[in-house]
């Protein structure tokens, strides 16, 4: 029965690892936490059960507009019309119309911000919800690398909707994050399905360079690595700068017009561009099997983010390479970015005082010239609206920063680790080590395009630099 639907509707011959278990748990009405690797076919797990149920709605919470758009498009392209989305992009009229007809729908995609709207909750409470899906569920955890305050409200909202069965999905979660997902969503004795984060087809390399040599090293590597290739940078500016000096490279970041992003993504998907320089904005929902190399020009802030980005290589199961370039001082940028995500104490004090004097947020924004879309300010505003005190907010932020810096330290430990990198990553996610060929630069058995050919003296030099890096980073982070 399940196989028939898989073939007829989704045009797949067989289930991938984990999919059947998840669908069976969902059909049995059980709460489920599923940790599936990126590209493991998560969407089928919540889209398929609906065809085996006579009626009812599948509600899908997703943190990113681009992800929602992409999913709705895919569903429509297979001929399924009973799908809609509620995001900040729909007009009021559109939203009202969708809500009127919501009992006719099979799937409704929502951003967590929209689900927080009382009017939407009231309407949804009137219809039968078969499944409450939380995609990218790690966003609920303060320990997760993409913590979202809106996600913290999902547990109570789900209860308000009559506690429909819940499926929480994520690609990467440590035991702590898994625990937070279960607690945050109030899952009852959930089925836990966890697949190894290991990607045996990817070999891991870290290359230490001087800051002044990094561009040259990148250029040299690009001559030997296999393509298509994705190069991750931290900032938009950097993505553009690098794309300009690399031949035949394009850049992609969230600052581009939606149309341009779409175009570049399509060209990359169709192998018209074989080198893409991008920020972390690229990748979620992009399904390209043959990416052979992922290079990190700058380190991501967490091992979770690193694995998610690296996981875009080798989805076809063919040998692929992940290279991380590291220069002493790279961690300072990440440190700075962590700080930037939170309002300064001075800011909090000013805004809180004006609020206390009865000023509206609009007036405060004008007076202090605050950008209402600035993330640190938005976070502060939402906390003040929740009635948190200034002390609460400052204390909470300090705690958050500590967590983020600890995560950053783990990433630095990965870079400086001199034993097997795969084992390090697996241990981070609570998994035992795996011994395999073509593993990592520390195991030293790379056989394809691995660009590590070093003489003895270079190795010594490399070790010396490593010590320097470790020493400096311990003092700066
Ligand atoms: Zn290894």
């Amino acid at each position: 029965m399940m196989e028939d639907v898989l073939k007829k509707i989704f045009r797949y011959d067989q289930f991938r690892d984990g999919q059947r278990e998840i669908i069976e748990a969902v059909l049995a009405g059980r709460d489920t936490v599923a940790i599936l690797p990126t590209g493991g076919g998560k969407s089928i797990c919540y889209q398929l059960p609906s065809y085996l149920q006579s009626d009812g709605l599948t509600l899908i919470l997703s943190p990113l507009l681009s992800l929602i758009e992409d999913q709705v498009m895919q569903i429509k392209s297979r001929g399924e019309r009973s799908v809609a989305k509620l995001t900040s992009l729909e007009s009021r009229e559109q939203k009202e119309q969708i809500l009127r007809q919501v009992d006719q729908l099979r799937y409704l995609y929502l951003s967590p911000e929209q689900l927080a709207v009382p009017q939407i909750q009231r309407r949804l409470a009137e219809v039968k919800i078969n499944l409450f899906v939380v995609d990218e569920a790690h966003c609920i955890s303060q320990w997760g690398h993409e913590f979202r305050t809106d996600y913290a409200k999902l547990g109570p909202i789900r209860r308000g909707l009559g506690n429909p069965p819940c499926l929480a999905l994520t690609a990467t979660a440590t035991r702590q994050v898994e625990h937070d997902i279960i607690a945050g969503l109030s899952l009852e004795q959930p089925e836990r399905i966890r697949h190894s984060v290991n990607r045996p087809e990817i070999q891991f390399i870290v290359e230490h360079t001087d800051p002044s040599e990094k561009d040259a090293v990148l250029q040299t590597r690009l001559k030997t690595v296999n393509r298509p290739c994705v190069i991750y940078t931290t900032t938009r500016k950097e993505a553009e700068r690098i794309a300009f000096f690399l031949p035949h490279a394009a850049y992609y970041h969230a600052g581009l017009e939606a149309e341009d992003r779409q175009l570049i993504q399509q060209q990359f998907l169709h192998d018209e561009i074989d080198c893409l320089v991008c920020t972390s904005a690229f990748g979620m929902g992009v399904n390209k099997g043959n990416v052979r190399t992922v290079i990190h020009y700058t380190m991501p802030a967490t091992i979770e983010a690193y694995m998610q980005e690296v996981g875009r290589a080798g989805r076809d199961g063919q040998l692929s390479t992940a290279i991380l370039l590291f220069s002493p001082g790279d961690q300072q940028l990440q440190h700075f970015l962590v700080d930037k995500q939170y309002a300064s104490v001075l800011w909090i004090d000013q805004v809180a005082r004006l609020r206390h004097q009865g000023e509206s947020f609009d007036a405060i924004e004008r007076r202090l010239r605050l950008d209402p879309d600035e993330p640190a300010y938005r976070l502060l505003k939402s906390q003040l609206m929740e009635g948190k005190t200034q002390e609460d907010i400052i204390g909470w932020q300090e705690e958050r920063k500590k967590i983020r810096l600890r995560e950053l330290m783990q990433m630095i430990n990965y870079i400086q680790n001199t034993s097997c990198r795969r084992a390090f990553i697996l241990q981070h996610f609570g998994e035992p080590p795996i011994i395999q060929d073509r593993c990592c630069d520390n195991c030293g058995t790379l056989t394809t395009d691995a660009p590590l050919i070093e003489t003895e003296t270079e190795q010594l030099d490399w070790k010396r630099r490593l010590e320097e890096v470790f020493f400096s980073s311990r003092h700066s982070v």
Side-chain angles (χ1 to χ4, degrees):
M1 196 65 169
M2 270 163 59
E3 276 79 7
D4 294 342
V5 177
L6 186 70
K7 260 186 207 154
K8 229 169 99 189
I9 311 266
F10 297 91
R11 307 221 170 96
Y12 284 104
D13 286 332
Q14 52 190 6
F15 286 108
R16 287 202 238 168
D17 270 359
Q19 285 179 335
R20 174 190 292 277
E21 292 162 87
I22 296 169
I23 292 167
E24 278 170 354
V26 165
L27 286 170
R30 296 197 56 178
D31 287 343
T32 307
V33 187
I35 299 158
L36 279 189
T38 317
K42 282 193 291 174
S43 54
I44 284 183
C45 299
Y46 60 80
Q47 288 179 12
L48 190 145
S50 166
Y51 292 97
L52 297 170
Q53 293 162 324
S54 54
D55 60 350
L57 177 69
T58 299
L59 208 64
I60 305 120
L61 276 301
S62 180
L64 281 182
L65 288 184
S66 57
L67 268 182
I68 293 178
E69 297 262 295
D70 187 67
Q71 289 288 336
V72 171
M73 224 163 61
Q74 274 185 24
I75 291 175
K76 284 190 174 162
S77 73
R78 62 164 200 255
E80 175 61 66
R81 311 302 304 169
S82 325
V83 54
K85 61 186 172 72
L86 289 176
T87 67
S88 54
L89 296 179
E90 281 67 49
S91 67
R92 230 184 94 182
E93 289 73 32
Q94 283 172 320
K95 279 178 190 157
E96 279 167 6
Q97 197 191 351
I98 289 165
L99 286 174
R100 266 198 303 280
Q101 300 171 346
V102 75
D103 48 348
Q104 315 285 319
L105 288 175
R106 189 184 288 282
Y107 308 116
L108 178 64
Y109 281 82
L110 283 154
S111 58
E113 295 83 4
Q114 293 297 317
L115 187 64
V117 176
Q119 183 201 354
I120 293 179
Q121 283 176 32
R122 275 198 297 278
R123 177 63 182 132
L124 288 175
E126 293 167 2
V127 301
K128 181 180 169 197
I129 298 169
N130 281 347
L131 186 61
F132 186 91
V133 182
V134 182
D135 201 7
E136 311 294 338
H138 59 271
C139 295
I140 204 168
S141 171
Q142 297 221 15
W143 293 91
H145 60 292
E146 291 171 313
F147 173 66
R148 306 257 308 224
T149 41
D150 290 310
Y151 262 63
K153 297 171 194 151
L154 292 180
I157 292 175
R158 175 176 164 241
R159 275 197 295 281
L161 295 176
N163 253 347
C166 179
L167 171 60
L169 291 160
T170 177
T172 49
T174 58
R175 298 284 169 188
Q176 173 71 46
V177 171
E178 188 181 359
H179 174 267
D180 288 355
I181 291 171
I182 292 170
L185 293 169
S186 322
L187 305 185
E188 275 167 42
Q189 296 181 326
E191 189 80 38
R192 293 157 78 159
I193 295 158
R194 174 185 270 272
H195 277 259
S196 173
V197 294
N198 188 35
R199 296 288 306 275
E201 62 280 4
I202 300 175
Q203 45 188 4
F204 293 90
I205 297 168
V206 174
E207 213 177 337
H208 295 252
T209 78
D210 278 340
S212 60
E213 288 165 7
K214 212 176 198 182
D215 287 348
V217 169
L218 177 64
Q219 276 171 308
T220 313
R221 289 303 159 246
L222 276 174
K223 285 180 194 146
T224 54
V225 300
N226 289 327
R227 299 187 181 209
C229 169
V230 177
I231 302 168
Y232 276 103
T233 68
T234 305
T235 65
R236 296 172 183 183
K237 247 191 205 153
E238 199 170 56
E240 293 183 15
R241 185 186 68 80
I242 292 169
F244 281 129
F245 76 72
L246 294 177
H248 315 297
Y251 64 85
Y252 181 105
H253 58 62
L256 295 174
E257 297 288 330
E259 234 168 80
D260 292 337
R261 287 209 303 269
Q262 199 68 29
L263 179 70
I264 291 165
Q265 195 169 308
Q266 286 304 319
Q267 285 179 323
F268 187 66
L269 282 175
H270 296 116
D271 294 330
E272 288 156 25
I273 296 169
D274 70 356
C275 180
L276 191 64
V277 191
C278 58
T279 62
S280 59
F282 177 78
M284 272 211 206
V286 176
N287 213 344
K288 182 173 172 65
N290 66 343
V291 174
R292 291 278 71 89
T293 307
V294 171
I295 299 179
H296 277 80
Y297 185 84
T298 35
M299 60 189 268
T302 67
I303 291 176
E304 282 82 352
Y306 185 60
M307 280 309 283
Q308 209 149 56
E309 288 169 5
V310 156
R312 286 170 190 135
R315 290 205 187 164
D316 56 6
Q318 302 296 308
L319 187 65
S320 305
T321 305
I323 303 173
L324 193 155
L325 301 179
F326 181 77
S327 303
D330 280 0
Q331 66 273 35
Q332 264 89 334
L333 173 64
Q334 288 297 346
H335 197 156
F336 167 76
L337 291 173
V338 167
D339 262 341
K340 225 183 105 182
Q341 282 170 357
Y342 303 100
S344 69
V345 173
L346 180 72
W347 243 33
I348 298 173
D349 185 57
Q350 279 182 319
V351 176
R353 194 153 358 125
L354 290 169
R355 276 298 285 172
H356 200 68
Q357 291 163 9
E359 278 207 41
S360 71
F361 280 111
D362 282 350
I364 295 172
E365 282 156 24
R366 274 197 306 276
R367 187 200 286 257
L368 300 177
R369 299 193 183 178
L370 295 170
D371 174 1
D373 288 328
E374 209 276 318
Y377 172 66
R378 262 177 35 197
L379 181 62
L380 172 62
K381 184 173 164 182
S382 72
Q383 289 181 314
L384 286 169
M385 281 164 79
E386 283 164 21
K388 294 215 169 85
T389 67
Q390 196 174 332
E391 290 72 36
D392 285 348
I393 296 171
I394 292 171
W396 182 86
Q397 289 199 353
E398 286 309 309
E399 202 45 46
R400 277 301 297 159
K401 274 192 208 172
K402 257 189 238 159
I403 293 171
R404 304 293 302 274
L405 293 179
R406 211 175 305 153
E407 288 174 332
L408 186 55
M409 200 58 220
Q410 284 166 345
M411 192 64 217
I412 292 164
N413 288 343
Y414 167 79
I415 290 167
Q416 289 159 347
N417 170 42
T418 52
S419 57
C420 178
R421 299 196 189 279
R422 191 178 308 273
F424 186 97
I425 291 165
L426 291 174
Q427 193 191 15
H428 178 79
F429 291 103
E431 293 184 36
I434 288 167
I435 293 164
Q436 67 168 67
D437 284 342
R438 297 177 297 207
C439 178
C440 70
D441 51 348
N442 287 339
C443 289
T445 50
L446 309 178
T447 53
T448 58
D449 55 343
L452 279 199
I453 308 155
E454 286 178 328
T455 64
E456 192 121 353
T457 48
E458 270 174 336
Q459 287 229 339
L460 281 173
D461 182 44
W462 181 80
K463 281 198 172 135
R464 181 180 56 77
R465 267 188 279 162
L466 193 74
E467 278 161 14
E468 281 171 14
V469 169
F470 187 55
F471 185 75
S472 64
S473 66
R474 261 204 297 200
H475 287 264
S476 56
V477 174

